[in-house]
């Protein structure tokens, strides 16, 4: 396996214009950045491994890349193909929203690469021995150029109207997170304090970012990071970023 690129995109279903409805224009910059980085990831690799931060997850587990998923959990009547060129069917299944977001982004850039989907716990990274860990290792050890698509959000406590209300320290936490994305500070993401931060600030993406950091640090390559877009219109930090190998 050669890890070719890591792309990070928000986990919100509001990236999808039909779901965002009246807020679609407000999020146009964020959406464009997420689509652009997904397109670049698709062009750089020949297989995509999705790591999705999901608060309900207690361990790493895989979601089969087959059939259709439904947007019903966000109240929208619609489906998304989980595999490239999925055959239309009347049957669909409920999968975590971040997985649906990843599928929508990949489908929107017409990705035909093999996909593997994994959901990651928000807390407890580094203690996982579930079967999903073995399946993830299998995906990462296949021959070819691997791209990691991390679907994750920062804190949800950035103001009085935020889903988690306003929590002192959330803005500072997100500033550290942004710095770590920019500098590819893998030690920050894998530090035990991130479990505390996930609980305090509702940072649902920390487990997925920690796993991506562990994979990147074990790749034997040096990495350059860039945060392309930041936004928090609803009190949740949405970030679009990428890590690319240093050449030379």
């Amino acid at each position: 396996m050669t890890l070719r690129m890591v792309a990070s995109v928000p986990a919100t279903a509001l990236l999808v214009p039909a779901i965002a409805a009246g807020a679609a224009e407000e999020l146009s910059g964020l959406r464009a950045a997420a689509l652009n980085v997904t397109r670049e990831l698709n062009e750089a690799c020949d297989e995509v491994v999705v790591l999705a931060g999901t608060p309900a997850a207690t361990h790493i587990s895989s979601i089969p890349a087959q059939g259709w998923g439904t947007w019903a959990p966000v109240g929208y009547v619609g489906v998304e193909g989980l595999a490239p060129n999925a055959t239309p069917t009347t049957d669909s299944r409920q999968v975590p929203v971040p997985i649906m977001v990843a599928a929508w982004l990949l489908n929107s850039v017409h990705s035909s690469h093999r996909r593997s989907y994994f959901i990651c716990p928000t807390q407890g990274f580094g203690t996982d021995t579930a079967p999903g860990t073995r399946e993830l290792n299998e995906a990462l050890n296949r021959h070819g150029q691997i791209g990691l698509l991390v679907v994750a959000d920062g804190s949800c406590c950035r103001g009085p109207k935020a889903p988690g209300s306003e929590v002192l320290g959330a803005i500072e936490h997100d500033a550290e997170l942004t710095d770590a994305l920019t500098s590819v500070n893998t030690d920050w993401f894998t530090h035990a304090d991130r479990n505390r931060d996930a609980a305090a600030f509702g940072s649902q993406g920390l487990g997925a970012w920690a796993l991506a950091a562990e994979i990147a640090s074990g790749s034997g390559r040096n990495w350059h990071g860039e945060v392309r877009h930041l936004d928090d219109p609803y009190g949740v930090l949405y970030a679009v970023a990428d890590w690319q190998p240093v050449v030379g």
Side-chain angles (χ1 to χ4, degrees):
M1 177 274 290
T2 300
L3 181 59
R4 183 61 187 84
M5 180 178 173
V6 180
S8 183
V9 296
T12 176
L14 295 175
L15 288 177
V16 182
I19 295 175
E25 183 60 30
E26 183 178 16
L27 295 173
S28 60
L30 182 72
R31 182 180 304 108
L35 286 168
N36 285 339
V37 79
T38 304
R39 185 176 296 106
E40 291 180 27
L41 181 82
N42 183 64
E43 293 171 351
C45 69
D46 49 37
E47 180 167 350
V48 178
V49 175
V50 174
L51 306 177
T54 308
T58 57
H59 55 266
I60 298 169
S61 59
S62 63
I63 301 293
Q66 59 190 27
W68 293 73
T70 174
W71 286 109
V74 295
Y76 177 70
V77 179
V79 295
E80 198 68 47
L82 299 176
N85 305 313
T87 302
T89 175
T90 56
D91 297 325
S92 60
R93 57 197 171 96
Q94 187 167 310
V95 299
V97 170
I99 296 294
M100 292 290 288
V101 171
W104 179 80
L105 287 167
L106 290 166
N107 293 340
S108 296
V109 302
H110 309 292
S111 176
S112 60
H113 299 325
R114 180 174 184 171
R115 305 175 189 175
S116 301
Y117 298 105
F118 296 89
I119 57 174
C120 308
T122 299
Q123 296 177 265
F125 174 80
T127 61
D128 198 290
T129 57
T133 305
R134 175 180 52 79
E135 295 172 2
L136 175 60
N137 288 332
E138 290 175 356
L140 294 174
N141 287 313
R142 286 194 282 265
H143 294 294
Q145 304 286 322
I146 301 293
L148 291 183
L149 182 60
V150 182
V151 189
D153 292 335
S155 76
C156 65
C157 310
R158 293 175 59 87
K161 295 183 179 180
S165 299
E166 187 172 14
V167 175
L168 186 66
I171 300 295
E172 291 77 10
H173 161 73
D174 286 335
E176 289 185 12
L177 167 60
T178 302
D179 288 344
L181 284 170
T182 302
S183 61
V184 195
N185 186 348
T186 57
D187 288 341
W188 186 89
F189 284 109
T190 57
H191 196 280
D193 284 353
R194 301 296 80 77
N195 287 332
R196 177 203 64 195
D197 293 344
F201 307 122
S203 298
Q204 298 180 2
L206 286 176
W209 275 316
L211 188 52
E214 187 77 8
I215 295 167
S217 65
S219 68
R221 313 182 82 172
N222 294 320
W223 296 87
H224 167 76
E226 180 184 4
V227 173
R228 303 185 178 198
H229 195 96
L230 292 173
D231 209 345
D232 68 341
Y234 314 116
V236 180
L237 180 70
Y238 298 141
V240 176
D242 71 276
W243 295 348
Q244 308 233 22
V246 175
V247 178

